C-alpha cells in the first residue's frame, strides 16, 4: 500500500477497529491456565506467543483453542507428548511484544510460535515499523532461546474471516495483511531458525459462534505440518551429537530453580486434599505401597503429599527425586539395590526400604523443575511394566494445581 494512501486511511481504520472491538466483550475466551498438553513421553515443549489466534476467542478452554489443537496435531504426527505454554495479549503488537517477553525463560522450548499482525492490519500500521519491530523480536527470540529452538511465525489470517471485521473496510485491512505477510516471509528467510507459516483459509464458523474448535484445529494442522519436520531434524541432530547444550552453569540453574520454589510459597504448608488425592490415585494405579508429591528445597526433599510414608522430609543427599529433576523425562529405578546411585541410600537400606521407584518431574509455572510425583515400593519390578504416559499425566495434574496458591494454613 502506498504510504500516502495508508496515512490518509489510517485514522478511519483505527476508528473502525475501535468500534468493532467493542463486540469482543461478549465473546468468550479461555479462563483456564495458559497451557495445554497431549499424552505421551519424551515431550516436545512449545510456546505460543502473541495476539490474534493465540488469544483463543470463541472457546472457553485453551484445550479447545490453538494450544490444545497444536499439542494434539504434533502428537498425532510424532507419537510423543507435547507441552504447550501460552503468552497471549489481545492488544499485543510487534511494538509491544519485546516487553511482553519479560523474564520468560525461552531456553526450555523446542519451538516458539509467534502470532502477530491482526492489530497492525486493521489499523493500517506502518509497514516500515512492522519490518523493524518484527525483525528485532525474531532476533531476540533466537538469541534468548537454545541453539536448537525453532521459531515459527504464523501469517495473518484473512481479516474478513474474523466476524467482527467482516465488512467493506475489512477488504482494506485484508490488503494490508497481505503486504505484512510478504514482509514477514522475507524477514523469516533472513533470520536463522525462523520459518513463516501462511494462515490462508479456515473452516467458516457456525452461525451461532465467533470461532469454533475446528478453526483452531485447522490452524494447528498448518503449523504442525511445518513444525514437525524441523523438530524431528533437531532431535536427530541431538541424538547424533549425544551431548546437551549447556546454557548456564549448574550454580545459576540451581539458583533459578530455588527461586521458583521460593516464589511458589508452598514449602512447609499444611496438607491439602487436592495434592493428597493425586498421590493416592498414583499409588492405586501403580500398585505401590507408597507415593508422594515432593518439592526439592535447598538441602532437603519436602513432601507436600505422601501416602504410606511417615517422613515429612528427607535429606536431599539421599533423595531419589533430586536425581529425577536433573532432566525433563521420567526416572525409573527397577531395583535400587542394583543401582550404584542408590544402593547405599538410607532410604534403601532403612525405612521405607525403597527397591522400586518411578518419578516424573514437576515444573513450576515458570518452567523450573521443582520436585516430582513419585511412586515407590519395597519390592523390585521390571521397569518395562511402568506406564510412563500415565505417570506424566499425574505429574501434569500436580502442575495444574500449582497454578493456584496454597491453601491458608
Amino acid at each position: 500500500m502506498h504510504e500516502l494512501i495508508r496515512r490518509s486511511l489510517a485514522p478511519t481504520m483505527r476508528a473502525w477497529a475501535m468500534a468493532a472491538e467493542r463486540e469482543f466483550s461478549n465473546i468468550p475466551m479461555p479462563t483456564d491456565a495458559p497451557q495445554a498438553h497431549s499424552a505421551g513421553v519424551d515431550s516436545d515443549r512449545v510456546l505460543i506467543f502473541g495476539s490474534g489466534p493465540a488469544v483463543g476467542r470463541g472457546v472457553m478452554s485453551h484445550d479447545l483453542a490453538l494450544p490444545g489443537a497444536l499439542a494434539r496435531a504434533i502428537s498425532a504426527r510424532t507419537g510423543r507428548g507435547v507441552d504447550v505454554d501460552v503468552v497471549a495479549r489481545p492488544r499485543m503488537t510487534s511494538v509491544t511484544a519485546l516487553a511482553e517477553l519479560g523474564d520468560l525463560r525461552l531456553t526450555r522450548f523446542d519451538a516458539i510460535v509467534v502470532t502477530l499482525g491482526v492489530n497492525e492490519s486493521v489499523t493500517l500500521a506502518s509497514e516500515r515499523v512492522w519490518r523493524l519491530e518484527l525483525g528485532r523480536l525474531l532476533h531476540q527470540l533466537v538469541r534468548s532461546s537454545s541453539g536448537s529452538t525453532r521459531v515459527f511465525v504464523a501469517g495473518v489470517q484473512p481479516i474478513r474471516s474474523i466476524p467482527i471485521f467482516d465488512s467493506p473496510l475489512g477488504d482494506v485491512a485484508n490488503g494490508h495483511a497481505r503486504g505484512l505477510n510478504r514482509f514477514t516471509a522475507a524477514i523469516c528467510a533472513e533470520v536463522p531458525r525462523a520459518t513463516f507459516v501462511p494462515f490462508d483459509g479456515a473452516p467458516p464458523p457456525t452461525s451461532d459462534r465467533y470461532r469454533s474448535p475446528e478453526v483452531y484445529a485447522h490452524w494447528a494442522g498448518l503449523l504442525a505440518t511445518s513444525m514437525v519436520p524441523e523438530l524431528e531434524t533437531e532431535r536427530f541432530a541431538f541424538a547424533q551429537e549425544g551431548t546437551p547444550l549447556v546454557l548456564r552453569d549448574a550454580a545459576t540453574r540451581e539458583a533459578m530453580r530455588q527461586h521458583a520454589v521460593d516464589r511458589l510459597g508452598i514449602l512447609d504448608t499444611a496438607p491439602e486434599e487436592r495434592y493428597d488425592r493425586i498421590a493416592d490415585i498414583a499409588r492405586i494405579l501403580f500398585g505401590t505401597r507408597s507415593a508422594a508429591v515432593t518439592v526439592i528445597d535447598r538441602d532437603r526433599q519436602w513432601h507436600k503429599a505422601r501416602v504410606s510414608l511417615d517422613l515429612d522430609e528427607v535429606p536431599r543427599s539421599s533423595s531419589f527425586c533430586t536425581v529425577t529433576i536433573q532432566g525433563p523425562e521420567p526416572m525409573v529405578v527397577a531395583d535400587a539395590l542394583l543401582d550404584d546411585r542408590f544402593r547405599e541410600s538410607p532410604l534403601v537400606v532403612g525405612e521405607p526400604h525403597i527397591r522400586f521407584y518411578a518419578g516424573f518431574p514437576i515444573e513450576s509455572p515458570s518452567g523450573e523443575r521443582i520436585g516430582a510425583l513419585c511412586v515407590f515400593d519395597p519390592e523390585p519390578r521390571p521397569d518395562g511394566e511402568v506406564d510412563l504416559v500415565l505417570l506424566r499425566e499425574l505429574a501434569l495434574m500436580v502442575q495444574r494445581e500449582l497454578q493456584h496458591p496454597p491453601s491458608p494454613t
Side-chain angles (χ1 to χ4, degrees), residues 4 7 41 125 151 159 182 184 186 284 319 338 357 365-366 373 375:
L4 288 177
R7 290 188 179 187
V41 295
V151 179
I159 298 300
R182 286 193 293 271
T184 303
I284 293 170
S319 164
L338 303 179
Y357 168 96
S366 55
L373 181 282
V375 293

Side-chain angles (χ1 to χ4, degrees), residues 33-44:
Q35 54 189 214
H37 308 276
S38 60
V41 295
D42 196 19
S43 304
D44 294 300

Side-chain angles (χ1 to χ4, degrees), residues 128-263:
R128 182 185 65 81
V129 173
W130 172 260
R131 293 197 303 268
L132 176 64
E133 297 297 337
L134 183 64
R136 288 177 58 200
L137 173 65
L138 296 188
H139 281 291
Q140 181 63 35
L141 292 175
V142 169
R143 283 194 300 268
S144 301
S145 58
S146 75
S148 61
T149 303
R150 297 286 176 164
V151 179
F152 299 87
V153 185
V156 183
Q157 72 265 39
I159 298 300
R160 291 198 65 167
S161 70
I162 305 172
I164 67 168
F165 296 128
D166 186 15
S167 70
L169 286 179
D171 288 327
V172 179
N174 248 347
H176 197 56
R178 288 193 293 270
L180 297 184
N181 283 338
R182 286 193 293 271
F183 288 122
T184 303
I187 294 168
C188 288
E190 297 174 354
V191 177
R193 308 200 313 271
T195 302
F196 175 66
V197 182
F199 263 24
D200 295 331
T206 56
S207 58
D208 60 340
R209 65 188 306 165
Y210 172 82
R211 185 172 288 153
S212 67
E214 289 73 23
V215 173
Y216 290 113
H218 172 79
W219 287 335
L222 297 177
L223 285 166
T225 298
S226 293
M227 294 172 67
V228 167
E230 300 287 351
L231 292 171
E232 298 287 31
T233 298
E234 289 299 332
R235 280 181 173 264
F236 177 77
F238 175 82
Q240 293 295 102
E241 187 174 326
T243 55
L245 177 65
V246 178
L247 296 163
R248 292 187 176 90
D249 62 86
T252 300
R253 293 196 303 273
E254 175 59 20
M256 293 174 63
R257 194 202 65 80
Q258 186 63 51
H259 179 65
V261 171
D262 296 339
R263 193 167 50 204

Side-chain angles (χ1 to χ4, degrees), residues 300-321:
R300 60 174 176 156
Q301 171 184 297
W302 178 75
H303 303 136
K304 177 59 181 173
R306 51 195 170 94
V307 181
S308 299
L309 179 65
D310 293 333
L311 303 170
D312 290 327
E313 60 183 59
V314 299
R316 187 171 178 177
S317 59
S318 58
S319 164
F320 281 63
C321 293

